[in-house]
Amino acid sequence: MQVFLIRHPRPFLDLGICYGRLDIQAEDPQPVAARLKPLLPEGTTFFSSPLQRARLLAEALDPETRIDARLSEMDFGEWEGQPWDAIDRDALDAWAADTLHYTPPGGESVAGLQHRAIDFVTALRGSPIALVTHCGVIRALLGHWRQLPVDEWTSLQIDFGSMLEIEIDQ
């Protein structure tokens, strides 16, 4: 199955703020859509996170985009909207010590994010597919498909407005 992983445009948010499920506005999706659309095969089926920074790009690419919450970014719980510098240092150290399984207060673990993203993709049929989503989701899927160690896939560089193509076996 041919899958295109598309990251949303840059959000309007100060650097150094923890955000995942915050539904924040992003840069104009039209220029990104105009750049990516010609690169996608005719008949591509689009799926998107419900968060507006991804959804608006997906709808600019295809007004018939299907929305699915499993494509949402990681839920950082009580950390959402907080400056990273203001988050308890011991909690951040605990997360760094167990990146995959640590759960921020009121949030979800990276393992939980990866599980729901994989669950979504394994239910898909047909090809080509485009997923307009977030860095965490893209990293989690790439880590799974490429069988990368967690410390490697959680640090992959995924640029705003970028697109990656991958072939997977269902």
Side-chain angles (χ1 to χ4, degrees):
M1 180 167 64
Q2 185 180 31
V3 179
F4 295 90
L5 302 169
I6 301 171
R7 187 174 183 197
H8 60 77
R10 181 178 306 281
F12 293 130
L13 192 67
D14 292 337
L15 292 176
I17 302 295
C18 176
Y19 71 98
R21 292 283 176 93
L22 285 181
D23 198 10
I24 49 180
Q25 293 182 332
E27 293 176 350
D28 183 1
Q30 295 301 328
V32 177
R35 178 174 45 81
L36 297 179
K37 185 70 173 175
L39 305 175
L40 293 159
E42 187 71 33
T44 297
T45 303
F46 288 82
F47 296 89
S48 177
S49 159
L51 299 175
Q52 66 179 316
R53 60 190 185 266
R55 181 180 47 80
L56 293 176
L57 173 57
E59 291 170 348
L61 289 163
D62 180 7
E64 301 300 317
T65 293
R66 298 172 187 145
I67 307 299
D68 196 293
R70 291 174 290 180
L71 294 175
S72 294
E73 183 58 285
M74 182 172 157
D75 184 350
F76 286 99
E78 294 175 13
W79 296 358
E80 292 280 349
Q82 301 298 313
W84 284 104
D85 293 346
I87 297 170
D88 179 69
R89 185 76 235 166
D90 289 339
L92 290 174
D93 289 345
W95 187 33
D98 188 7
T99 306
L100 193 59
H101 297 104
Y102 180 85
T103 303
E108 74 179 321
S109 68
V110 171
L113 162 75
Q114 187 177 49
H115 176 77
R116 69 175 158 80
I118 292 167
D119 179 61
F120 173 79
V121 174
T122 57
L124 294 176
R125 298 291 175 256
S127 184
I129 303 288
L131 307 179
V132 184
T133 187
H134 309 273
C135 186
V137 174
I138 294 170
R139 285 174 172 170
L141 290 172
L142 288 173
H144 173 74
W145 291 326
R146 293 179 178 168
Q147 300 179 3
L148 300 173
V150 67
D151 60 327
E152 195 172 317
W153 65 259
T154 55
S155 61
L156 290 172
Q157 178 65 37
I158 312 291
D159 294 332
F160 293 109
S162 66
M163 180 170 71
L164 300 164
E165 178 185 355
I166 191 161
E167 291 280 337
I168 61 168
D169 293 327
Q170 284 294 75

